[in-house]
Amino acid sequence: MADKDIPKGGEFLLIPGEPAQCFTVEDLTDEHRMIKQTAYDFVRGEILPRMEELEKQNAELVRKLMAQAGELGLLGTDVPEEFGGLGLDKISTAVVTEAFGIAGAFAVVQGAHTGIGTLPIVYYGNNEQRAKYLPDLAAGTKIAAYGLTESGAGSDAVGGCRTKAVLSEDGKHYILNGEKIFITNGGWADVFVVFAKIDGEQFSAFIVERGFPGFSSGAEEKKMGIKGSSTTPLIFEDCQVPVENLLYEPGKGHHIALNVLNIGRYKLGAATVGSCKAVLDMAAKYAAERVQFGRPIIEFGAIREKLARMCCKAYMNESLNYRTVGLIDAALEGMDPNDPSYPDKASQTIREYNIECSISKVFGSEALDYIVDENVQIHGGYGFVGEYEAERCYRDSRINRIYEGTNEINRLLIPGELLKRAMKGKLALMPAAQKLQGEIMDYMPALVELPDEPLAYQAHMIEMCKKAVLFVAGVAAQKFMQKLAQEQEILLRVADMVIETFAMESGFLRARKALASQGEDKARIHLNLVAAYVDETIPRLHQIANEALAMCAEGDELRMLLIGLRKLLKYQPQNGIALRRAIADVVSDKGGYPLE
Ligand SMILES: Cc1cc2nc3c(=O)[nH]c(=O)nc-3n(C[C@H](O)[C@H](O)[C@H](O)COP(=O)(O)OP(=O)(O)OC[C@H]3O[C@@H](n4cnc5c(N)ncnc54)[C@H](O)[C@@H]3O)c2cc1C
């Protein structure tokens, strides 16, 4: 994509989606496919057969497997070549992350290590720090962790931080005191990126090594899921951190914390792409084998409909995640990693897509929760007992809605960022919302003429959803003005509309590409998945939008608003049941997720 063609973050709400601007999994290059295959082979060959042992928190085995992964290059896609990594694009990281996504707790170990553990040093380390730490981290001979959360600093990680750093009298060390909690890889890691306030004021990041005097990790948490990962407190008692281990600049820790979390969010989304598909495969396999009333349960409509819905979620999740990573990659293209300002520029660029990153995190974690839940249901009583994988997957999935920013915080970020950009004039949302309010009364849905091509109606409805987002957000902004930030229930509804619109459009653009490259027959599964998902989603969005408007007005004013909204989201139901039957046929034939 040329620079001018790359949509800005959040801009998808204002412009019609273009298939050429949407990266899809079908666009992976041969090199991406090779990396993906290597990662899946490693996970299937080395990790999955050892899941039982790994669930017992076998640190030695984890270390061995991490070193093996490092040897294959699977920990170094984001690390520059000169520091022992492969220095590849973000799509390469996404395909590796997708593959590790099927590895239960090991995915969390690998994800925290390569993401929040390593990336602060990649992006914010100076060359000495990068040369000292990155080669071992890329090789997997050392494990990384990220210490931000404290007992009083969870969602409010920066404001609530109490860990304090004070420069020693001789000026050689920062002396850290405080405690971090819930730190992934806490019990095993060798290198920790830790946040503390210098003199209790300047929020800053430090690289701490296990072995520094005054550092220790506490007892393992007893968790609901991801039991094979380590989660412990980190304790700093007059811990001596050499001054050269200050990461980036004093008082600029929030740049690191927030930007790295953005990356963590789309990486979490990518991991759920793998797990959504793998759990659907598990469900389809079990349903084909389990016989009741003399028939495999996969022959029952109730089960087929579940499989079809799971497949729709997995497809949208895959589509929107690769679209997001594709946008980031396109925006990063051409930047020179050796340019001293690269880290700042790159993290600024990734920040541009923080709305899309939050969407990836929220949609991915909730799609997976839906899929693991239905998988338990398809397994019946066997889904509830420990010897089947369905139970572990159900437990493991739950954490995704909590870390990397809870889904509430990520949802709130979406309208918050949109409004911020609108105020700064970076996104022309206000003029678009005002124009829409002027046009809406004259708009006649019955007169809209659509081209005679597959998904034309869905494409039209997705554009209408964008208008509905502008309409509702515009009305809410006018009504509450500066106080809108306090109206969280309305903001959450706007966020849901934004998330689902992005999801539907991502699936749609992918299906359009498949249609163009494969023809209607071969692209049929794409077309059905999109049509079925849109069919269920539009009425739900309409209801959400009604609720938001009802908080903004009453009486005649509300009636007029609801009439306007009805015009935008007037929807002719498709035969959703038939579409889902057709999808289930393909899932059943393929024994799981029907696409690559
Ligand atoms: C297994 C596990 C691994 C973890 N790994 C790491 C790690 O490696 N490094 C690290 O630093 N941290 C880690 N965490 C911590 C994790 O990031 C936090 O738990 C998370 O950010 C939420 O913080 P909290 O638990 O204090 O919840 P709180 O912030 O207390 O939130 C409680 C509830 O209130 C809601 N809430 C809070 N503020 C608002 C608001 N302003 N508006 C609306 N709702 C709000 C939240 O959404 C949530 O539903 C991990 C946690 C777990 C459980």
Side-chain angles (χ1 to χ4, degrees), residues 218-294:
E220 287 290 344
E221 299 291 349
K222 293 186 174 40
K223 304 190 292 279
M224 175 196 291
I226 55 165
K227 287 179 185 284
S229 67
S230 164
T231 313
T232 73
L234 307 179
I235 300 148
F236 304 89
E237 291 170 312
D238 289 332
C239 172
Q240 294 177 30
V241 180
V243 281
E244 56 271 20
N245 276 28
L246 172 77
L247 191 58
Y248 200 40
E249 293 169 28
K252 292 211 174 160
H254 57 287
H255 287 244
I256 306 177
L258 301 181
N259 285 331
V260 166
L261 279 179
N262 280 327
I263 303 176
R265 286 167 188 166
Y266 77 68
K267 281 194 66 180
L268 188 146
T272 64
V273 170
S275 34
C276 282
K277 295 189 292 185
V279 177
L280 172 58
D281 292 350
M282 190 191 301
K285 183 164 177 285
Y286 183 83
E289 285 167 2
R290 175 69 175 166
V291 175
Q292 286 293 281
F293 300 96

Side-chain angles (χ1 to χ4, degrees), residues 116 146-149 154-155 182-184 223 226 231 399 402-403 406 408-409 412 488:
I116 53 182
Y146 176 85
L148 176 64
T149 304
S155 299
F182 297 156
I183 306 307
T184 300
K223 304 190 292 279
I226 55 165
T231 313
I399 185 60
I402 296 172
Y403 55 22
T406 65
E408 291 75 23
I409 295 292
L412 292 170
Q488 288 197 343

Side-chain angles (χ1 to χ4, degrees), residues 8 116 144 195 312 405 446:
K8 287 189 286 189
I116 53 182
F195 294 85
C312 282

Side-chain angles (χ1 to χ4, degrees), residues 5-151:
D5 296 333
I6 307 168
K8 287 189 286 189
E11 203 179 18
F12 67 90
L13 286 170
L14 291 173
I15 53 176
E18 279 296 328
Q21 293 174 343
C22 177
F23 187 88
T24 74
V25 73
E26 287 79 21
D27 296 327
L28 293 175
T29 62
D30 288 345
E31 193 188 349
H32 291 140
R33 284 169 206 271
M34 204 181 70
I35 297 167
K36 188 174 175 183
Q37 194 58 48
T38 305
Y40 266 109
D41 287 349
F42 174 73
V43 174
R44 291 196 177 115
E46 303 295 331
I47 313 262
L48 298 191
R50 298 181 172 85
M51 285 298 263
E52 217 176 300
E53 194 51 39
L54 285 166
E55 278 295 278
K56 295 177 195 150
Q57 269 188 342
N58 183 334
E60 205 178 310
L61 180 57
V62 166
R63 282 193 173 281
K64 189 172 148 241
L65 291 169
M66 284 292 279
Q68 267 176 266
E71 221 167 280
L72 289 170
L74 299 175
L75 307 179
T77 49
D78 278 327
V79 176
E81 274 180 282
E82 59 181 309
F83 299 115
L86 300 175
L88 298 175
D89 59 6
K90 301 295 165 214
I91 301 282
S92 302
T93 299
V95 294
V96 171
T97 310
E98 175 191 320
F100 275 93
I102 70 172
F106 195 84
V108 181
V109 177
Q110 190 267 355
H113 168 83
T114 54
I116 53 182
T118 300
L119 292 180
I121 305 178
V122 170
Y123 285 114
Y124 294 96
N126 57 36
N127 276 347
E128 288 73 39
Q129 291 167 338
R130 291 158 127 200
K132 181 167 179 193
Y133 292 107
L134 292 179
D136 288 337
L137 298 181
T141 47
K142 286 199 172 151
I143 296 179
Y146 176 85
L148 176 64
T149 304
E150 299 180 10
S151 58

Side-chain angles (χ1 to χ4, degrees), residues 263-544:
I263 303 176
R265 286 167 188 166
Y266 77 68
K267 281 194 66 180
L268 188 146
T272 64
V273 170
S275 34
C276 282
K277 295 189 292 185
V279 177
L280 172 58
D281 292 350
M282 190 191 301
K285 183 164 177 285
Y286 183 83
E289 285 167 2
R290 175 69 175 166
V291 175
Q292 286 293 281
F293 300 96
R295 294 159 69 185
I297 60 169
I298 202 166
E299 291 181 10
F300 297 122
I303 300 295
R304 296 177 87 74
E305 188 155 47
K306 285 186 194 303
L307 292 171
R309 286 205 169 98
M310 292 157 82
C311 192
C312 282
K313 295 249 189 208
Y315 180 83
M316 296 306 153
N317 192 34
E318 185 171 56
S319 307
L320 72 86
N321 267 290
Y322 278 99
R323 181 186 186 188
T324 297
V325 184
L327 283 169
I328 293 173
D329 248 350
L332 287 174
E333 212 176 299
M335 282 189 195
D336 175 9
N338 295 316
D339 172 355
S341 62
Y342 173 78
D344 256 358
K345 282 189 195 154
S347 50
Q348 200 52 40
T349 302
I350 293 169
R351 200 184 129 71
E352 168 69 24
Y353 295 99
N354 61 358
I355 293 170
E356 287 79 358
C357 291
S358 286
I359 294 176
S360 292
K361 195 272 174 178
V362 172
F363 192 94
S365 59
E366 294 181 5
L368 182 58
D369 257 6
Y370 177 89
I371 290 172
V372 294
D373 183 68
E374 288 293 57
N375 184 40
V376 167
Q377 197 65 18
I378 288 171
H379 278 71
Y382 300 94
F384 197 72
V385 295
E387 85 200 68
Y388 280 78
E389 282 281 278
E391 185 257 2
R392 180 187 58 72
C393 292
Y394 182 84
R395 286 185 290 100
D396 283 354
S397 168
R398 188 61 183 84
I399 185 60
N400 291 316
R401 282 163 51 201
I402 296 172
Y403 55 22
E404 304 287 358
T406 65
N407 282 16
E408 291 75 23
I409 295 292
N410 273 286
R411 275 193 165 85
L412 292 170
L413 178 144
I414 294 167
E417 268 297 311
L418 285 171
L419 287 171
K420 217 187 285 172
R421 289 172 196 208
M423 297 296 186
K424 285 186 185 161
K426 278 181 77 184
L427 273 183
L429 289 167
M430 298 301 186
Q434 276 157 6
K435 183 163 169 262
L436 180 66
Q437 282 188 18
E439 289 170 356
I440 204 161
M441 289 308 154
D442 299 329
Y443 172 63
M444 296 287 178
L447 298 183
V448 173
E449 276 185 39
L450 296 173
D452 182 18
E453 57 187 19
L455 297 184
Y457 185 54
Q458 287 75 11
H460 168 68
M461 287 313 303
I462 291 166
E463 289 308 314
M464 290 297 110
C465 284
K466 295 181 187 182
K467 290 188 190 297
V469 172
L470 291 178
F471 184 59
V472 172
V475 168
Q478 270 174 8
K479 162 82 185 170
F480 294 102
M481 310 242 244
Q482 308 302 333
K483 294 195 178 127
L484 185 56
Q486 269 91 61
E487 301 293 324
Q488 288 197 343
E489 299 92 328
I490 297 178
L491 295 174
L492 293 175
R493 281 165 176 77
V494 172
D496 280 341
M497 294 175 73
V498 174
I499 292 168
E500 288 296 359
T501 301
F502 189 69
M504 287 188 291
E505 187 178 64
S506 304
F508 161 74
L509 293 172
R510 177 178 175 190
R512 265 285 160 85
K513 274 184 149 174
L515 182 67
S517 64
Q518 302 169 17
E520 200 165 332
D521 271 358
K522 285 200 174 139
R524 175 68 52 209
I525 181 67
H526 292 265
L527 305 177
N528 286 346
L529 285 162
V530 173
Y533 193 78
V534 169
D535 189 60
E536 287 202 309
T537 304
I538 304 273
R540 196 159 60 79
L541 289 195
H542 196 163
Q543 175 58 17
I544 292 172

